[in-house]
């Protein structure tokens, strides 16, 4: 079994580019992403042909990330980090960061550093990352944006002399190698026209300038005892239940582990498209995940047959659950930055508007209270509530700094709001939603 974490000294350092290049180069790769991100895993899947799984200590817990990593590992597991190596929730070293995850899974870390504007000082940078937490095994360094092989040799000599950490190679400074932030933030992997070409170029460059044999040696993991199957007691708990999952260009943000957990519980998943389909499938529960509904407003608003079918399902007592983009779609409507409004499903008594910037006051990890039940969630959205009606709100959200607010709009058997739930730490909430659908099914 082989595996390692590819981490950066900061966001924007190029770890996604290096990660995808290594994923393209090795065979039979199991890709993973630290944190709650939905975008990078879609690129991992495009590059490797294998599903990418999130490893998030806040949303999944230690047992959850161990379960997912063990279950989905292949010949070599490559875990792309998030932000800088030690960046997480607060300044504790147990802050759900990439470093924290590497310790929980006992994985070696390969650190990506930037060559720009540096000489011997690059060694001080690497040494600082090594010394901040001696429990983190920084086993190698890859230098990004290197102008020449001569510069790489000089930087390599400084790092190895003063830190004792081996340099494993470099990527040259070339704008054609990187995946731009506009691609990662606005487009899904299959919409990036030149991604196949970038994959081929990256693969060739990495073969030239990075020591793959050394990486394989670093990635050799000691055999460990198998972890407890934490979901054995809920296996086939909901056999016969059918859940419709909105899946198209507007709705694509789902944790793969969430969908697989539903299937393990005995649930049949049926995909449908609010853009293309004329009616909802015959199911017990509709699940609208996040995505980019704001990019397909005309298609969604004009599909009247589907909207009428959805409304009939809701009015007849059908169960519906929506997150973020799904919540926006289930609202009265969405207003664009140009102040043009598009009607949506109109099942929730509120509307939303696009803001053009991340809604930072609600961004990040939150604790969730759903009645007497407690869970964990994450918010990340560029829209906000425009008009609020009288529908009940059933989620009480709380950030670590004490701020609280209500979300999770309820109308009949519909619950929808901005929070993204990973089911591993929200099993009780999930089961309550499924129990309602099960009663209707019976």
């Amino acid at each position: 079994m082989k595996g390692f974490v590819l981490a950066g000294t900061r966001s924007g350092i190029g770890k996604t580019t290096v990660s995808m290049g290594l994923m393209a180069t090795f065979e039979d790769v199991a890709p993973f992403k630290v944190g709650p991100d939905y975008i990078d895993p879609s690129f991992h899947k495009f590059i490797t042909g294998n599903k990418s799984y999130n490893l998030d200590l806040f949303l999944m817990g230690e047992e959850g990330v161990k379960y997912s990593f063990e279950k989905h590992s292949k010949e070599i597991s490559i875990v792309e980090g998030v932000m800088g190596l030690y960046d997480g929730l607060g300044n504790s070293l147990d802050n759900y960061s990439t470093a924290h995850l590497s310790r929980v899974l006992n994985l070696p870390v390969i650190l990506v550093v930037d060559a720009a504007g540096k000489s011997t000082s690059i060694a001080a940078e690497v040494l600082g990352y090594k010394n901040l937490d001696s429990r983190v095994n920084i086993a190698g360094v890859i230098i990004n944006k290197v102008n020449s092989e001569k510069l790489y040799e000089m930087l390599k000599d400084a790092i190895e002399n003063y830190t004792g950490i081996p340099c494993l190679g470099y990527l040259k400074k070339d704008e054609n190698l990187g995946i731009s932030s506009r691609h990662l933030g606005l487009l899904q992997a299959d919409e990036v026209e030149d991604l196949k070409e970038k994959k081929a170029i990256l693969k060739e460059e990495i073969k030239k300038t990075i020591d793959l044999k050394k990486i394989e040696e670093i990635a050799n993991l000691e055999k460990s005892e198998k972890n407890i199957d934490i979901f054995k007691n809920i296996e086939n708990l909901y056999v016969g239940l059918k859940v419709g999952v909105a899946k198209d260009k507007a709705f694509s943000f789902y944790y793969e582990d969430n969908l697989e957990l539903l299937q393990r519980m005995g649930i049949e998943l049926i995909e449908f498209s609010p853009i293309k389909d004329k009616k909802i499938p015959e199911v017990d529960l509709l699940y609208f995940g996040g995505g980019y509904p704001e990019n397909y407003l005309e298609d969604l608003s004009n599909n009247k047959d589907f909207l009428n079918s959805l409304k009939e399902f809701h009015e007849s007592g059908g169960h519906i659950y929506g997150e973020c983009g799904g919540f926006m779609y289930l609202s009265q409507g969405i207003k664009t930055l140009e102040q043009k409004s598009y009607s949506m499903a109109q099942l929730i008594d509120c509307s939303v508007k696009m803001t053009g910037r991340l809604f930072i006051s609600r961004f990040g990890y939150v604790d969730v209270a759903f009645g007497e039940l407690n869970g964990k969630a994450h918010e990340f959205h560029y829209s906000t509530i425009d008009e609020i009606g009288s529908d009940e709100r059933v989620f009480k959200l709380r950030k670590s700094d004490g701020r609280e607010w209500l979300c999770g709009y309820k109308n009949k058997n519909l619950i929808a709001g901005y929070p993204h739930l990973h089911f591993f730490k929200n099993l009780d909430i999930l089961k309550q939603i499924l129990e309602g659908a099960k009663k209707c099914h019976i």
Side-chain angles (χ1 to χ4, degrees):
M1 187 175 175
K2 297 183 177 70
F4 64 89
V5 174
L6 202 289
T9 53
R10 58 174 172 80
S11 294
I13 201 74
K15 64 179 174 293
T16 295
T17 299
V18 178
S19 294
M20 293 201 304
L22 292 172
M23 288 176 186
T25 305
F26 285 106
E27 299 293 328
D28 194 27
V29 173
F32 295 90
K33 173 66 182 181
V34 180
D37 182 88
Y38 291 100
I39 305 297
D40 288 344
S42 74
F43 281 78
H44 296 172
K45 184 178 179 181
F46 185 96
I47 294 291
T48 66
N50 295 322
K51 292 177 181 178
S52 180
Y53 294 84
N54 295 77
L55 300 173
D56 190 303
L57 286 165
F58 182 88
L59 295 179
M60 301 165 67
E62 289 195 10
E63 288 184 337
V65 297
K66 288 177 180 177
Y67 169 88
S68 184
F69 184 76
E70 184 178 282
K71 180 182 179 184
H72 301 117
S73 291
K74 296 184 181 294
E75 178 66 23
I76 187 166
S77 298
I78 301 179
V79 182
E80 181 186 346
V82 63
M83 300 186 289
L85 175 60
Y86 293 103
D87 297 330
L89 185 62
N91 291 326
S92 161
L93 293 179
D94 292 337
N95 61 348
Y96 317 111
S97 64
T98 301
H100 186 186
L101 181 98
S102 75
R103 290 192 284 108
V104 168
L105 293 179
N106 197 26
L107 291 175
V109 173
I110 295 174
L111 187 67
V112 178
V113 297
D114 193 334
K118 295 193 183 83
S119 180
T120 310
S121 294
I122 199 170
E125 182 179 24
V126 174
L127 188 62
Y129 281 85
K130 175 184 178 180
N131 289 341
L132 184 63
D133 189 346
S134 60
R135 297 170 297 173
V136 177
N137 176 20
I138 301 179
V141 172
I142 291 174
I143 308 176
N144 195 27
K145 300 178 183 177
V146 177
N147 285 322
S148 67
E149 188 172 350
K150 183 178 179 182
L151 173 62
Y152 168 70
E153 291 297 335
M154 188 269 288
L155 297 175
K156 175 178 182 289
D157 183 63
I159 290 170
E160 293 183 343
N161 277 342
Y162 294 111
T163 73
I165 299 173
C167 282
L168 308 174
Y170 69 95
L171 270 184
K172 66 183 183 182
K173 187 176 182 179
D174 185 344
E175 296 300 323
N176 293 320
L177 295 179
I179 306 298
S180 72
S181 59
R182 71 184 178 89
H183 284 163
L184 292 173
L186 294 175
L187 296 177
Q188 297 172 68
D190 58 3
E191 296 177 297
V192 180
E193 294 179 0
D194 61 347
L195 193 55
K196 282 186 179 179
E197 182 183 341
K198 282 183 180 290
K199 174 183 174 180
I201 295 171
L202 264 174
K203 188 174 180 178
E204 288 308 307
E205 288 300 319
I206 277 179
K207 284 180 176 178
K208 292 177 189 174
T209 59
I210 291 180
D211 191 332
L212 299 175
K213 285 186 177 180
K214 275 190 180 179
I215 290 179
E216 282 200 79
E217 290 172 8
I218 287 170
N220 279 318
L221 304 177
E222 294 181 9
K223 288 185 178 180
S224 58
E225 293 183 10
K226 279 201 168 187
N227 293 303
I228 298 169
D229 185 350
I230 56 176
F231 300 116
K232 191 172 183 179
N233 63 332
I234 59 171
E235 193 165 20
N236 294 324
L237 192 60
Y238 295 98
V239 171
L241 209 64
K242 294 182 179 180
V243 173
V245 181
K247 272 282 193 85
D248 56 23
K249 289 183 178 181
F251 304 99
S252 61
F253 292 174
Y254 297 92
Y255 296 124
E256 292 290 349
D257 271 318
N258 276 359
L259 299 179
E260 291 182 9
L261 182 61
L262 291 174
Q263 290 175 315
R264 185 165 185 195
M265 295 167 89
I267 294 169
E268 180 184 352
L269 302 183
I270 300 171
E271 293 184 4
F272 65 93
S273 169
I275 291 177
K276 295 180 180 179
D277 292 345
K278 295 303 179 187
K279 64 177 183 178
I280 65 167
E282 293 186 8
V283 294
D284 304 294
L285 170 72
L286 293 172
Y287 178 12
F288 290 85
Y292 298 124
E294 66 271 23
N295 290 349
Y296 304 94
L297 292 174
E298 286 194 12
D299 292 331
L300 293 169
S301 183
N302 291 337
N303 192 355
K304 301 301 182 185
D305 289 340
F306 183 86
L307 290 169
N308 289 334
S309 172
L310 176 58
K311 188 170 290 186
E312 289 174 10
F313 179 79
H314 176 249
E315 289 176 351
S316 65
H319 288 254
I320 302 170
Y321 172 66
E323 293 182 336
C324 203
F327 157 66
M328 293 165 65
Y329 174 70
L330 295 167
S331 74
Q332 295 294 309
I334 300 173
K335 186 185 292 182
T336 67
L337 293 174
E338 295 74 32
Q339 303 303 303
K340 184 174 181 180
S341 294
Y342 290 84
S343 63
M344 292 287 116
Q346 300 183 337
L347 303 185
I348 305 172
D349 192 14
C350 74
S351 60
V352 302
K353 62 181 178 181
M354 303 307 301
T355 64
R357 62 184 183 277
L358 181 63
F359 196 61
I360 197 67
S361 66
R362 302 281 172 87
F363 164 69
Y365 293 130
V366 290
D367 292 308
V368 182
F370 179 50
E372 298 298 316
L373 306 178
N374 295 304
K376 305 287 186 182
H378 183 267
E379 283 203 19
F380 186 103
H381 46 93
Y382 287 78
S383 66
T384 186
I385 306 295
D386 189 23
E387 296 180 4
I388 300 177
S390 58
D391 283 349
E392 178 188 2
R393 282 172 282 176
V394 293
F395 289 157
K396 186 175 183 179
L397 307 177
R398 180 183 175 89
K399 290 189 76 68
S400 58
D401 61 9
R403 282 179 291 146
E404 295 181 348
W405 64 95
L406 298 175
C407 196
Y409 290 76
K410 186 177 188 331
N411 185 331
K412 294 185 179 180
N413 291 327
L414 178 152
I415 297 174
Y418 274 122
H420 292 280
L421 304 184
H422 196 296
F423 297 154
F424 282 19
K425 292 289 279 186
N426 294 285
L427 272 179
D428 290 335
I429 295 175
L430 172 64
K431 285 195 280 187
Q432 183 154 321
I433 292 170
L434 294 174
E435 283 297 326
K438 183 179 180 181
K439 288 176 183 176
C440 289
H441 173 79
I442 293 170

